[in-house]
Amino acid sequence: MDLLPAIDILDGRAVRLAKGDYAKVTVYNEDPVAQAQAFEEMGATWIHVVDLNGAKSGVPENIEIIERIMRKTLLKVENGGGIRSMETLQRLYDAGVARVVLGTSLITDKDFAIEAVSRFGDMLTAGIDARGGEVAIDGWREGAGVPAEELVAEVADLGFKHLVYTDISRDGMQTGIDEQAYVRMAQVFRNPVIASGGVTNMDDLRRLGAVAGSIEGVITGRAVYEHTLDVPEALDFCHKATVAHLAAVAQANPCGL
């Protein structure tokens, strides 16, 4: 269970949106690279970076900033936002990005998604953002008319091994999380999922820790910027939750069966 502090890039700055609304922007750092370095200094090993301009336009617009983060830190980067071509995937692969999130193309260009996962394998992550159980695309501006669980099952069948599931209604609102939603998605996906949306404090993290077997990672944004969640404390908790889960699994299966 990894902690992934989020850096959302809009017009070259580190920001957060409320419920994915581009009209409700809070700027937290003028320099996303400096923000990444700050998270690294706090002990983070992963960050989740979203090109919000790219998510809206369909073409990555802040990729040079992501490349600078890779050069300036030792962080493992999970990146999404407007990634809809093999050329972009190759550029991010060459830059050393650990995981790349495909979102809108899962709905609008299935052939691309299939080819991408066949070529880049474990680097590929499905990004499914849902509002009221329906998938949202194009930077969360449009509903796709597809039930989220249906798409989760489909990307599992395509071979995706990582899934970021975002509850848009909670994202950036600090309203807490619905841990059972992630448990359900993990069951459908047949793998642990990366939880995103609404993580506000240690209480939320503890609720996810209680279902750690369903959680690969936790993305948190506004909470770490507004200091309702302390990054070093959260990192320590995530590590302990992982150790406890593995110990429970080993105790339940002493022969490794």
Side-chain angles (χ1 to χ4, degrees):
M1 183 166 143
D2 296 309
L3 185 79
L4 295 85
I7 299 177
D8 292 355
I9 305 173
L10 183 67
D11 300 332
R13 302 179 295 179
V15 309
R16 293 298 286 172
L17 308 182
K19 295 186 180 181
D21 189 340
Y22 282 74
K24 298 177 180 178
V25 179
T26 302
V27 178
Y28 286 108
N29 198 318
E30 294 289 336
D31 183 358
V33 178
Q35 186 61 58
Q37 291 172 319
F39 285 140
E40 185 175 39
E41 290 170 4
M42 294 176 199
T45 57
W46 279 94
I47 57 172
H48 178 80
V49 181
V50 178
D51 181 343
L52 290 174
N53 295 101
K56 189 174 183 179
S57 68
V59 180
E61 298 182 29
N62 293 290
I63 198 166
E64 291 182 1
I65 294 175
I66 295 160
E67 290 172 329
R68 283 171 47 216
I69 289 173
M70 298 304 304
R71 292 195 301 268
K72 296 287 187 177
T73 74
L74 296 176
L75 291 164
K76 289 180 278 190
V77 174
E78 179 178 82
N79 172 227
I83 301 168
R84 302 176 196 175
S85 74
M86 288 299 164
E87 291 77 15
T88 299
L89 282 172
Q90 188 64 51
R91 183 173 174 181
L92 293 170
Y93 175 85
D94 291 341
V97 170
R99 289 200 296 252
V100 175
V101 181
L102 300 187
T104 295
S105 61
L106 298 174
I107 294 290
T108 62
D109 193 348
K110 293 284 179 60
D111 290 341
F112 167 68
I114 292 168
E115 182 181 357
V117 78
S118 68
R119 286 180 54 179
F120 291 93
D122 200 50
M123 174 184 168
L124 268 291
T125 301
I128 296 180
D129 309 321
R131 181 187 287 112
E134 179 185 342
V135 175
I137 60 174
D138 288 331
W140 298 354
R141 294 172 300 160
E142 296 183 18
V146 176
E149 290 192 19
E150 180 180 309
L151 184 58
V152 169
E154 185 173 334
V155 297
D157 290 340
L158 290 178
F160 284 84
K161 300 302 181 186
H162 306 285
L163 167 67
V164 175
Y165 182 75
T166 303
D167 183 344
I168 297 172
S169 65
R170 297 172 185 264
D171 190 79
M173 298 305 294
Q174 294 187 289
T175 54
I177 55 98
D178 175 7
E179 71 274 17
Q180 291 305 315
Y182 300 111
V183 172
R184 290 194 301 274
M185 290 304 165
Q187 290 170 342
V188 175
F189 188 54
R190 305 190 297 276
N191 280 292
V193 303
I194 300 165
S196 174
V199 174
T200 301
N201 51 38
M202 288 301 299
D203 287 340
D204 293 325
L205 213 54
R206 291 186 189 99
R207 289 166 65 184
L208 291 171
V211 294
S214 297
I215 308 298
E216 179 180 10
V218 181
I219 296 170
T220 180
R222 188 178 295 270
V224 297
Y225 290 106
E226 300 192 355
H227 310 295
T228 62
L229 186 68
D230 179 72
V231 172
E233 182 183 8
L235 287 164
D236 182 62
F237 174 83
C238 287
H239 172 70
K240 290 177 179 176
T242 300
V243 171
H245 168 68
L246 293 175
V249 171
Q251 186 175 13
N253 301 279
C255 297
L257 299 177

